[in-house]
Each structure stands twice: as structure tokens, then as C-alpha cells.
Amino acid sequence: MADVMSTAVSGLLAFRRGLDTTSQNIANAATAGYSRQRVELATRPAQAYGSGWIGSGVQVSTVARVYDSFLAAQVRGSASSVGRYDTMATEAERLDNVLGDSKTGLSAAFQKLVNAFQEVANDPSSVTSRQALLSQAGVFTGQLQGYDSRMRGFAAEVNDRLRAGAAEVTSLADSLAKLNTQIRDAYGRTGQPPNDLLDQRDRLVDQLSSHVDVSVVAQQDGSANVYVGTGQPLVVGSTATQFTVTPDRFDATRLNVAIQGVGGPIDISAQVTGGSLGGLLEYREQVLDPARDALGKVAAGVVAIVNGQHSQGITLTGAMGGPFFSLGSPTVLAGAGNAGNALVTASIANANALSGHDYILEYTGSWQLRDATGGATVALSGTGTSADPLTAEGLSIVVANTPLPGDRFRIEPTRDLVAGLELAIDDPADIAAASPVRTAADGANSGTGRISPPAVTNAANAALRSSVTIEFTSATTYSVNGAGSFTYTPGAPIAMNGWSASIDGAPATGDRFSIADNTSGTGDNSNLLAILGALDAPALAGGTASIAEAATQLTARIGMQTSQAQSNREAFTVVHEQDLAAQQSVSGVNLDEEAANLIMLQQAFQAASQLIAVAQSMFDSLLAATRS
């Protein structure tokens, strides 16, 4: 029944709820994740009278959160990006500090090695300079192994952080599933939204978004399904899926992120691109692994160049030079699901042709090779036997036993080479500074002919150090050891016995040139000069980059990736702050607004109280009239 009393009481109760809600907002003005609440008022059903419909007051229809799901999704998206690029930038900065330091970095280490070779070239008979070269070469190998050790440590840290992050995601997922149950039950009991529980759930989803990119789909019963990556379910209603780590198919020491399926963990690393976990995976895939590969490629280039030329010179004792450095071997990892018993080994056939990429070798009835990153097919030749190995991009691959279709192997040509990098000699006298042969022009020559220093082309030739005399029988012809008549072309190479030299100018008839054993070559630096020239020449990446350039390219690429990650972190931090501000402008508590609401509700409450007093007075007057 509509009357002043009941209408006033309804207002009193409604405004009391409004005051309670405003009080809650003010009390939680500094509470993280709190969404301000608002009392939704509606008129009570009117009563019909002969003179018309008379209102019966007001009622509270609900206490609603002031919440915008679109703004919430924007905040989570930008938080996921901040987590991704912050992790990328932080980890890349550490790697950049290791390899790019101007005093202790890779380029500086290589330059010090070159300088040590140059010191011996300046005084090849100096035992002190030779010892200094060996010391610096040992420092060089130690520095590269130090870089490799640090990067292995970084890789182990990635595993640890992935494991810890997966455990945190699982914990958050379990909490979300429990909240879904509580929220669903609360809706079922009252039909009203449990705002504080909804805020708690949003807070957990926000925390989750800092670890991995998420999407949320609200359900009609009040629960919310949460998906990670590109749609992998993490929380469905009251059920949470375990987020875990799983060993890589090829390398059990390398962890990937996964969700627990019915048949075991399902690797979803390729689908996770956001948050700190996505940043870790991206850092490992795009920065750390390529850096380790490139470092191994530089080491392989140094060893191939130095060893190759060093073996063509002679030591202080006159012996042919041996290997200056030793190096590790390419790594071959068998796939966990391989059904055959094939064994695959790989070696470096040509350091100049190494790409620095990793490969997947798959047997499909014949062997196929693909780039591990892009999946592009790589040209492969040979049959895989030791006599006819498979060859591709500087690699020699030998297969033993029997493969079955579907068997796969991951080949990492350069990633672990540095682990086996060592100095192969320890005696200064074993440094092959001199050439095993020398050239000379006869002192009685009357022409203007000049002979170049010899270049050793085959140090294993048994006749390498045998004496040879070239005599010009005319201005355009010459004989070798008195035999033959060869046409003279100025500057053209004359090659025999494993050496090559050239004569230019205008020799006269009877002029003689000799190539002989360099028995007194203790002061000869020609082989060291050849080593220095080879180190400075474009000997890597198919003849497009020198060792120094390859080292610079490696550190420059890491520096660029670091700078880009830092820029992205700064940009998305600004975006995230803007998204938070936009969300807070809608959902955050504004104390000035709440103070105004408080005054308005207080006045309304007082007015409703006054109406009750009026109703009481009317009732008293009515009673007094009936008594009289």
C-alpha cells in the first residue's frame, strides 16, 4: 500500500545502502585492483487508485561495479607487452655487457690476439715475443670460453625462470578456478554480482598477464574462462589446467613451456608470445642462441685460418708447423621420438661456408635438411657414408646404422665449438713463423725480373723443400731445373712441389731464380704475415666478412636487439600507464566525487527521515481526532 510512511522508509533504506557503498569506496580508495561500486536504484511498483497510479517509493536493484571490460583487456594486453620487453631488454643488456664491452668484449679480445701475432712478425726470432703470443692466445681462448660459460649460464637461468614462472602461472590458475566456483555459487544464491570476488579475480588475471598473454571469456553463470597464448585453455569454469615445463624434443637440458594434457605435457612455446615467459622464450630463440652460434662461427673461422696457414710454415727447429688451436665439434641431437637406430655425426668441412644457423635433418626415405628457424630446405649432397658424407653449408655429415622414416636430428654446427677451444702448442719454438721455402734472384742477373715470396699450397708435398732453379732461356721462355721450355707471362703463378710463386718484370736471357729450403729462416716472418693477412681477409660468410667484421657484426646485432627491446619497453610502459589511467578514470575511486555523493546521500537520508517524522505527526493527529 502506498503511503508516506512506507515510501519514506524505502528511501531511508535505499539511501542508507548508498551511504554504505560510498563508505566502501572511500575506504578502498588506495586498494589495488578495487573497482568503485555504485548503487543502482529503481522505483518500487506503483499502486493503482481511482484517481491514478501512486508511487510506493524506491528500491535497490543492485550494487554494481563501475567496470569496463574493454579497458581491462587493454590494460592486460599492455601489461603483457611490458613484461615481454622488460624481460627481453634486461636479459639482452646482460649479454651485451659480456660481448660488447670495449675493453673485455669479443672485438677487443680478437684485436689483442692479432697484435700478439704482429709482435712476433716484427721480431720472429724473439723468444720473448713468441712466449707473449702464446700467453695472449691462451688468454683469447680463455675469454671465448668465458663468454661461452656465461651464455650457458644464461641458458640455465632461462630454464630456472621458465620453471618458476610456470609454477606461478599454475598457482594463479588454481586460484582463478576457486574464485570461479565462489562467484558462480554467489550468483546462484542471490542473483547479484559478488563485486569483491570479481575484483579479486580481475586482480589475479592482471597478475597472470604479466607472465603470459591472456584472453578472458565471461560465462553466463558468472565464471570466466581464461586462455593463454593463441587460445590454449588455462582455466575453464572451476577447472584449472596445469601450466608446466617440458624438455625439448631434441635437447633434454632445454626446457619449453607446456600445458598438461591427457597424454602428457603439450609444448606450447611457439604459441606463447607475451609476458615475462614469452620474453624469455623470445630472448633465448632470437638473441642468446644466435649469439652462441655466431661466437662459435667466429671461433671456427679463427681456428681454420690460423691452423691452416700455421701448418704451412716452419718452426724455429725447422719442422713443419702443426695445429695452433684445437676446437670442439658440431653437436647432433637425436629426436626423442626416433624409431630407428641411426647415429649421426657432423664435422666442419669449410668454416668459410658456415651460416651460423641450426638445422633439422630428417629421414623420409632419403635425407632432407631444413633450416631449424625458418624451415627453408637446404641443398644436400652425398649419401651419408664416411666415404661419401652428406655435405651442406660447410658441414660434413656421416650416418651410421639404419634410420626409419620420420627420424629427425637437430644439428647445431657452431653452438658448442668454443667449449673445446684450446691452445694446441705450449713451446714458443713451435710457432711456425717462417716459410719452409724461400725465393731468391741470382746476383748476376742483368734483367729487371723480380720473384715473389713463395706461397705454400700443399705442405704435405714430399718435394716441397727441394731446390728448384728457374732459368730464362730467352726473354719470353724459361726452364725449370734445366728441363722444359715454358712461356713466360709476367705475374702468372709458377706452381710445383706444393708451392707457388710469380715472376714479373723483364728478365734477361740467362737470368736465374731459385726456390730452396729455408734452412736459415729463424728471422723469417713470412708465414706470420700470411696468417695476419688471412685474418684480415674476408674469409667468413662465403667470403664476405673478415674475422673482425664478423665479431663486430655479432656485438652490433646484440646491441641493436638490446636497444630495440629497451625502446619497446619504454614505449609499452607509457602505453600501459595510459591504459591504467583510462581504466582508473572509469573504475577508480575519485574522492572528490565520493565526497559529493556523500553530501547528496546524507541530505537525501535526512529528507527521508523528515518524511517519517511528518508521517508520525500525521498519524498522531489522526489518533487525536478519533479520540475527540
Side-chain angles (χ1 to χ4, degrees):
M1 179 177 179
D3 55 49
V4 174
M5 177 63 76
S6 64
T7 299
V9 169
S10 72
L12 195 68
L13 294 175
F15 297 136
R16 170 64 184 276
R17 293 291 176 265
L19 287 168
D20 291 341
T21 302
T22 300
S23 176
Q24 172 77 349
N25 289 341
I26 294 173
N28 287 279
T31 302
Y34 177 79
S35 299
R36 69 186 178 96
Q37 299 176 11
R38 180 175 60 203
V39 172
E40 301 283 351
L41 301 178
T43 59
R44 293 168 66 179
Q47 298 292 321
Y49 293 90
S51 57
W53 291 86
I54 304 299
S56 59
V58 66
Q59 63 183 4
V60 177
S61 59
T62 189
V63 179
R65 290 192 305 163
V66 182
Y67 180 79
D68 189 315
S69 59
F70 175 75
L71 292 178
Q74 281 191 320
V75 168
R76 290 165 189 155
S78 58
S80 181
S81 295
V82 170
R84 168 190 176 188
Y85 290 116
D86 181 59
T87 300
M88 272 280 289
T90 300
E91 298 303 316
E93 285 164 2
R94 297 172 65 197
L95 182 58
D96 188 37
N97 290 336
V98 170
L99 293 177
D101 188 272
S102 60
K103 294 182 180 179
T104 62
L106 178 58
S107 294
F110 174 70
Q111 188 57 51
K112 290 176 182 177
L113 177 66
V114 171
N115 292 344
F117 273 111
Q118 186 62 60
E119 287 297 321
V120 179
N122 293 340
D123 188 3
S125 61
S126 170
V127 175
T128 301
S129 296
R130 287 170 172 259
Q131 184 60 60
L133 170 58
L134 293 184
S135 297
Q136 188 57 52
V139 170
F140 176 75
T141 60
Q143 282 186 281
L144 263 64
Q145 287 187 338
Y147 302 149
D148 181 65
S149 178
R150 288 294 301 277
M151 288 191 281
R152 288 175 184 272
F154 292 158
E157 287 180 20
V158 170
N159 282 345
D160 292 340
R161 293 185 62 182
L162 288 175
R163 190 182 291 110
E168 180 66 18
V169 169
T170 296
S171 176
L172 290 170
D174 288 339
S175 297
L176 284 168
K178 292 176 182 176
L179 277 173
N180 269 345
T181 300
Q182 296 174 26
I183 291 170
R184 183 187 60 205
D185 292 346
Y187 266 114
R189 288 195 307 269
T190 66
Q192 297 294 334
N195 294 323
D196 293 336
L197 293 179
L198 293 173
D199 281 345
Q200 289 180 38
R201 186 174 67 188
D202 285 340
R203 182 69 173 163
L204 291 179
V205 174
D206 290 344
Q207 293 176 24
L208 185 63
S209 68
S210 68
H211 295 287
V212 64
D213 46 333
V214 300
S215 57
V216 180
V217 179
Q219 304 299 301
Q220 291 184 349
D221 61 0
S223 64
N225 295 343
V226 181
Y227 302 90
V228 298
T230 56
Q232 287 69 36
L234 181 66
V235 178
V236 178
S238 58
T239 302
T241 302
Q242 183 183 4
F243 198 88
T244 185
V245 293
T246 186
D248 183 79
R249 173 179 179 179
F250 295 101
D251 185 358
T253 66
R254 180 187 180 94
L255 297 182
N256 294 327
V257 295
I259 55 175
Q260 190 68 38
V262 176
I266 302 171
D267 191 333
I268 61 169
S269 297
Q271 288 75 45
V272 175
T273 58
S276 59
L277 295 182
L280 282 171
L281 293 170
E282 186 175 359
Y283 158 73
R284 184 175 67 183
E285 185 74 21
Q286 298 186 13
V287 182
L288 182 58
D289 287 350
R292 293 182 63 190
D293 290 339
L295 180 65
K297 181 180 174 182
V298 169
V302 171
V303 171
I305 291 170
V306 174
N307 283 3
Q309 189 61 49
H310 192 260
S311 65
Q312 297 178 9
I314 57 172
T315 68
L316 282 178
T317 62
M320 295 298 297
F324 194 89
F325 294 108
S326 61
L327 190 66
S329 302
T331 299
V332 180
L333 301 166
N338 288 1
N341 63 354
L343 297 175
V344 176
T345 56
S347 59
I348 296 175
N350 181 4
N352 182 28
L354 291 173
S355 67
H357 295 179
D358 299 336
Y359 305 96
I360 301 298
L361 182 68
E362 183 174 8
Y363 186 73
T364 59
S366 62
W367 289 106
Q368 308 291 327
L369 191 66
R370 294 181 288 105
D371 187 283
T373 301
T377 301
V378 178
L380 194 63
S381 61
T383 60
T385 65
S386 56
D388 183 29
L390 299 168
T391 58
E393 297 195 343
L395 288 176
S396 177
I397 305 168
V398 175
V399 181
N401 299 337
T402 305
L404 291 177
D407 285 358
R408 298 199 299 169
F409 299 83
R410 182 182 178 94
I411 301 176
E412 298 171 350
T414 61
R415 187 168 301 172
D416 295 318
L417 294 183
V418 175
L421 177 64
E422 294 179 352
L423 188 61
I425 59 176
D426 56 14
D427 188 344
D430 289 339
I431 297 175
S435 172
V437 292
R438 57 184 176 82
T439 59
D442 193 288
N445 287 355
S446 59
T448 60
R450 299 176 302 276
I451 187 168
S452 69
V456 176
T457 58
N458 181 8
N461 192 301
L464 173 66
R465 302 171 77 169
S466 300
S467 296
V468 173
T469 299
I470 299 174
E471 182 175 359
F472 277 79
T473 55
S474 70
T476 58
T477 59
Y478 63 89
S479 63
V480 178
N481 287 342
S485 180
F486 304 96
T487 301
Y488 168 61
T489 302
I494 300 172
M496 62 183 303
N497 295 350
W499 54 258
S500 175
S502 62
I503 300 173
D504 60 10
T509 300
D511 284 359
R512 304 175 69 187
F513 301 87
S514 62
I515 298 91
D517 187 4
N518 193 15
T519 54
S520 60
T522 56
D524 181 14
N525 66 356
S526 57
N527 198 51
L528 280 183
L529 292 177
I531 290 176
L532 289 166
L535 288 173
D536 191 50
L540 295 183
T544 61
S546 66
I547 299 293
E549 289 170 339
T552 300
Q553 289 170 5
L554 166 57
T555 54
R557 183 177 69 246
I558 295 173
M560 181 186 67
Q561 290 173 318
T562 301
S563 178
Q564 184 175 2
Q566 290 169 335
S567 297
N568 287 334
R569 175 176 60 187
E570 293 172 3
F572 278 100
T573 297
V574 172
V575 171
H576 184 56
E577 290 172 351
Q578 292 173 343
D579 289 343
L580 281 173
Q583 183 191 45
Q584 286 300 301
S585 69
V586 173
S587 300
V589 175
N590 185 313
L591 290 176
D592 291 337
E593 181 180 351
E594 297 303 323
N597 288 339
L598 186 63
I599 293 172
M600 183 271 293
L601 290 168
Q602 182 182 15
Q603 291 174 344
F605 185 85
Q606 291 171 344
S609 300
Q610 187 62 38
L611 278 175
I612 293 175
V614 170
Q616 180 66 42
S617 177
M618 292 173 59
F619 185 69
D620 289 344
S621 297
L622 181 61
L623 287 177
T626 57
R627 289 194 196 101
S628 60

